[in-house]
Amino acid sequence: MQYKNTYIKNIQRVEFTINNSCTGRCKHCSEGSQPATHHLNGERAAEVLKELAKDHKIDSIMTFGGEALIYPETVCQIHQVAKECEIPTRQLITNGCFSKNRERIHQVAQMLEESGVNDLLLSVDCFHAEFLPLEWEKEFVEALRRYYKGRFRLQPSWVGSEEEDNPYNRKTKECLAYFDEFHVERNEGDTIFPEGNACIYLAEYFEKKPMNYAFKCGDALYTTPLDRVNELVIDCNGDVIPCNFPIGNIYEEDIATMLERYNPYDNIFSKALLEDGIVGLCNVVKANRIPIDPEDYYSPCAFCKAVAAYGKK
Ligand code: SF4
């Protein structure tokens, strides 16, 4: 579908960061040890999704956190609307540890099924297990087996690749084996990026290469150029983010107005990225005396994230 604003393509995917609070303090977490500050208003988020679905053929949504199931009602409000709008893939990623109350755990599993979640990814690895007992996750798995009918996968995080032999990956394989009796599908999982806590605790596993100055948005996995937006993240503070740079806030205006107005050339950072890639961003950073050195970062996107965070201060 061709949207009226040429910088916006059909929005195929919408991700909702439900909250930035978590039950864990994982050593691999890309968010680091940020304070918990926001949680999304479910009603408003659901309204925004409904509006978006009128103009776009959305293929998938995802809800995650922090730990999203600290607020299961919010998660379910969004999935309910996604189901009503016939969005085919409705994903949730969770660490499964949101309550110690067995009744509540079973109630939430039921709520997830009823609201229409149909692709659930459960984080299982040594990093989560350090703070969140596997028995706790097991209770949730048992509840899901009872009430939930959608796709269900274990989602590990690997240091390097799964094939790499290191103490973390060995322990993660043990954690996965803990669930063998349930015969749950296993996703190939994520490779941990050098961001947030991972830079501190797992630094020895990351090779620092010189910055790739030829980088353009869209070159890296899960990125698209800022003048061809086809995915949105709704952050837990209400910000709407195509990639790193917010274009508005759902608590301040309606999403259609925001998308109609969007012009990536209005923002000095995204303009620079579009015109000259990461070199352009470096030049803007230098010209504005922003104290961020690209060579301190493992990737162009990590550098860009630091610049966006500085811009929010
Ligand atoms: S450089 Fe920034 S805007 Fe471009 S893809 Fe990476 S994170 Fe997104």
Side-chain angles (χ1 to χ4, degrees), residues 16-29:
F16 295 87
T17 310
I18 302 296
N19 54 332
N20 55 4
S21 49
C22 193
T23 45
R25 297 185 300 284
C26 300
K27 282 197 174 107
H28 70 314
C29 182

Side-chain angles (χ1 to χ4, degrees), residues 215 217-218 223 226 243-245 273 278 300-301 304:
F215 180 89
C217 303
T223 68
L226 296 164
C243 194
N244 248 351
F245 301 103
L273 280 164
I278 212 70
C301 290
C304 176

Side-chain angles (χ1 to χ4, degrees), residues 203-304:
E204 63 186 291
Y205 292 95
F206 302 121
E207 192 194 343
K208 179 82 188 62
K209 293 188 186 141
M211 177 59 68
N212 171 11
Y213 289 102
F215 180 89
K216 296 246 182 211
C217 303
D219 287 353
L221 198 63
Y222 309 127
T223 68
T224 43
L226 296 164
D227 58 355
R228 269 175 276 157
V229 172
N230 61 5
E231 294 191 3
L232 293 174
V233 174
I234 315 275
D235 198 15
C236 55
N237 66 0
D239 279 352
V240 176
I241 309 171
C243 194
N244 248 351
F245 301 103
I247 61 170
N249 189 289
I250 59 167
Y251 301 126
E252 290 164 14
E253 63 184 327
D254 67 274
I255 191 81
T257 310
M258 202 185 300
L259 294 184
E260 268 163 41
R261 190 197 55 226
Y262 175 64
N263 182 342
Y265 292 93
D266 285 345
N267 174 301
I268 53 164
F269 301 120
S270 48
K271 179 176 187 287
L273 280 164
L274 277 166
E275 289 175 346
D276 292 308
I278 212 70
V279 170
L281 187 63
C282 292
N283 292 340
V284 170
V285 163
K286 220 185 268 171
N288 287 277
R289 297 174 194 274
I290 297 172
I292 297 177
D293 182 348
E295 290 300 333
D296 288 344
Y297 294 86
Y298 283 94
S299 69
C301 290
F303 165 61
C304 176

